[in-house]
Amino acid sequence: MASDLHPRRNITFVRPPYFIITGFIGIPNVKYYYIFLFFVYIVSVVGNTAVMAVIYMDNSLRTPKYIAVFNLAFVDLLGNSALVPKVLDIFLFNHNVIPYNDCMTFLFFCYTCLSMQSFNLVALSYDRLVAIIFPLHYQLRVNQRFMLSMIASFWVFTITAVLISVGLITRLSFCKSVVINSYFCDHGQLYRLACNDNFPNDVVSFLYPVIIFWLPLVFILSSYLYIGYTLVKVATLQQGIKAFKTCLAHLSLVVVYFTPLLMTFTLMEKIHPNNRIINLSLTSVFPPMLNPIIYVLQTKEIQTSLKKISKICQKSKMTIKSIPM
C-alpha cells in the first residue's frame, strides 16, 4: 500500500516564476505598430476623460442612458490603461519576462474590461429598446436606480467569472514551456501550456465567449430587429428614421467591438497567433478610442452640453480678464 502511494507523493506542482510574452512572430519593424497603439491610447484617454467630465458636469445628462455611457467611458479608460502601457513596456523596452503573479493580474484586468464593454452595450441596447418601443413607460421602467443596479450586477458577474478563470489557471502545472504566443497574458494561449489536466479551462474557454460575447450580441441584434419591426408596423417613414437615428451611435459601437472579437474567439486556436494579436489588440484599443468620438459626433445632447460648457468657460475667462489687477 505504501509503495502505491509513494509515486503520488513525488508528483510536484510546477508554478513557474515568470512567463515570456513573444508578441508578433517574424514581422519586421513591428515596433511601429506598438507606437501606433500608443497614439490610439492617448486619443482614447483624452476622449473618454472628456466624455466622463461632460456627463459629470452637466446635470441634464444624469439620465439612465448617460449613466451607461459614463460607465462605458470608465471601462474603456480603465481597460486601455491596464493594457497599453504594459504592452509598450514589454515590447518597446524589451521587458517581455513577466512574473507569474503580475501575469495573473494583467489577465484579470484585461478580460474584465473587455467583457464589461460587451455588457455595457447590452445596457445601452435595453435603454434604446424601452425608449422606442415603450416611450410612455420609459421613465418608470428605466430609471437611474434600475440602470445603476443593472450595471452593478454586470460588474459583479464579470469580476466573478474572470476570477474563476484566473483561479483555474493557478491550479495548472507548467512544466514544458513558459512562452506565451500573444501580446499579453492571453487566457487561451496560457492554459494550453499546462502539462496537467486542463479540462476545466477548456470548458471555460468554450463557455465564456458564449455567455459574455455571443449571448449579448444575440440580445442586441434581437432588440434592434424588434425595434425595426415595430417601427415598420406603427410609425411613418419619417418617424421611423428619426427614432432609428437615436440608435446609430450604439449600432456603430456594436459593429466596431464585436466584429474582430467574435472572429478571434470563434476561430480560437485555428487562427494564426499574429492575426489573433492584431484582432485582440485592435478590439482592445479601437472601440475605446472611437466610442467618445462617435458619441460626440452623433449625440445631440453631448454636443449641446459641450457648447454650454464652452460658453461657461469663455464667460469665466472674460470675467477674470475684466478684474483689475
Side-chain angles (χ1 to χ4, degrees), residues 21-25 27 33-34 37 83 87 91 107 110-111 114 169 180-192 201-202 204-206 208-209 213 257 259-285:
I21 300 178
T22 59
F24 287 103
I25 301 169
I27 298 180
Y33 179 73
Y34 296 114
L37 291 184
L83 176 69
V87 168
F91 297 110
L107 185 154
C110 288
Y111 275 100
L114 197 64
I169 286 179
I180 303 172
N181 293 321
S182 186
Y183 73 108
F184 75 116
C185 291
D186 190 341
H187 177 267
Q189 300 296 315
L190 189 57
Y191 85 83
R192 290 185 178 91
N201 304 82
D202 263 329
V204 164
S205 185
F206 170 78
Y208 277 21
F213 303 120
Y257 174 77
T259 303
L261 192 66
L262 289 178
M263 285 173 56
T264 301
F265 283 101
T266 302
L267 296 173
M268 292 292 185
E269 68 273 5
K270 295 176 185 177
I271 191 170
H272 190 275
N274 286 348
N275 295 333
R276 183 182 175 88
I277 290 172
I278 291 171
N279 279 347
L280 274 178
S281 60
L282 292 181
T283 302
S284 300
V285 301

Side-chain angles (χ1 to χ4, degrees), residues 43-55 70 73 77 292:
V43 175
S44 170
V45 169
V46 173
N48 285 294
T49 303
V51 168
M52 291 169 65
V54 168
I55 294 172
F70 185 93
L77 186 62

Side-chain angles (χ1 to χ4, degrees), residues 35-198:
I35 293 171
F36 164 72
L37 291 184
F38 171 72
F39 285 108
V40 172
Y41 170 67
I42 295 298
V43 175
S44 170
V45 169
V46 173
N48 285 294
T49 303
V51 168
M52 291 169 65
V54 168
I55 294 172
Y56 178 78
M57 293 169 66
D58 192 342
N59 290 331
S60 66
L61 296 180
R62 305 283 175 86
T63 61
K65 175 184 175 181
Y66 285 102
I67 289 173
V69 172
F70 185 93
N71 188 61
L72 180 64
F74 172 74
V75 170
D76 288 344
L77 186 62
L78 178 64
N80 259 3
S81 297
L83 176 69
V84 177
K86 186 64 178 176
V87 168
L88 297 179
D89 179 58
I90 290 170
F91 297 110
L92 291 184
F93 300 100
N94 298 319
H95 297 153
N96 63 333
V97 176
I98 181 168
Y100 182 92
N101 289 334
D102 290 357
C103 192
M104 296 301 106
T105 305
F106 195 17
L107 185 154
F108 170 78
F109 278 104
C110 288
Y111 275 100
T112 297
C113 294
L114 197 64
S115 303
M116 270 306 298
Q117 287 178 346
S118 175
F119 289 122
N120 271 321
L121 294 175
V122 169
L124 287 167
S125 176
Y126 181 79
D127 175 85
R128 290 299 83 204
L129 178 68
V130 178
I132 294 173
I133 304 300
F134 308 105
L136 299 178
H137 301 281
Y138 176 74
Q139 292 185 347
L140 184 65
R141 295 191 180 194
V142 185
N143 51 37
Q144 289 185 353
R145 184 176 179 180
F146 175 84
M147 184 59 74
L148 287 170
S149 299
M150 182 192 291
I151 290 172
S153 66
F154 285 153
W155 272 107
V156 171
F157 174 79
T158 300
I159 289 172
T160 303
V162 177
L163 280 175
I164 289 171
S165 66
V166 172
L168 288 173
I169 286 179
T170 61
R171 295 176 65 253
L172 298 177
S173 188
F174 298 89
C175 52
K176 295 177 183 177
S177 174
V178 293
V179 178
I180 303 172
N181 293 321
S182 186
Y183 73 108
F184 75 116
C185 291
D186 190 341
H187 177 267
Q189 300 296 315
L190 189 57
Y191 85 83
R192 290 185 178 91
L193 297 175
C195 53
N196 60 341
D197 180 27
N198 61 6

Side-chain angles (χ1 to χ4, degrees), residues 5 60 86 134-135 140 194 208 215 223 242 294 322 325:
L5 292 173
S60 66
K86 186 64 178 176
F134 308 105
L140 184 65
Y208 277 21
L215 287 182
S223 67
K242 185 179 179 181
I294 289 170
S322 62
M325 299 299 289

